[in-house]
Amino acid sequence: MLGRRVASAGEAGGITGLAVGMSAGGLALAPALAGAATPVLHDAHLAAVLVAIAVCSSVVPYALEQVVLRRVPPATFAILLALLPATAAVVGAVLLRQWPHGLEVVGLVLVSAAIALTGRQRPEALADEVPPAV
């Protein structure tokens, strides 16, 4: 609910709040992680790789999340979030050849079943969840 409120704030749609939050988090953790960051200070290639990983793993996904939060109802967003483990399992199997094992498959099936049951809402319940105007 807090993420949706941040996503709906202002004309930037939460991206500004996301930038401020990420910057504050980086500054808060910088003193604790400064010792481990010394190799990056001496290697420009390593620093570029570090920035690329940070952008691809944090900035892009969270920015997309803010955009989606602004445009879809909370129930739809919750369903999309619940599908992440299954999506990760499929990507891991196809790209990395990492096949899920017994209990992992059972967990994925149970989560998928819960998503299917949750997704069958009445139309009048969905009318209550109209996303804010863009």
Side-chain angles (χ1 to χ4, degrees):
M1 296 303 286
L2 180 60
R4 185 162 180 81
R5 182 171 289 172
V6 169
S8 299
E11 289 183 27
I15 305 275
T16 304
L18 176 66
V20 170
M22 290 247 193
S23 299
L27 289 174
L29 291 176
L33 301 174
T38 54
V40 175
L41 300 176
H42 304 293
D43 187 358
H45 176 66
L46 186 59
V49 169
L50 179 73
V51 169
I53 289 172
V55 167
C56 291
S57 67
S58 296
V59 175
V60 172
Y62 289 134
L64 289 174
E65 182 178 292
Q66 292 296 312
V67 171
V68 171
L69 264 171
R70 191 175 172 120
R71 293 195 165 108
V72 300
T76 304
F77 186 74
I79 289 171
L80 292 173
L81 282 182
L83 287 173
L84 285 177
T87 306
V90 170
V91 169
V94 171
L95 296 179
L96 304 174
R97 304 288 187 246
Q98 295 177 346
W99 303 101
H101 298 287
L103 288 177
E104 295 168 341
V105 173
V106 170
L108 289 171
V109 168
L110 289 174
V111 168
S112 298
I115 292 168
L117 291 173
T118 307
R120 296 178 9 175
Q121 288 186 349
R122 300 179 322 268
E124 59 269 7
L126 292 175
D128 295 339
E129 297 182 1
V130 175
V134 178

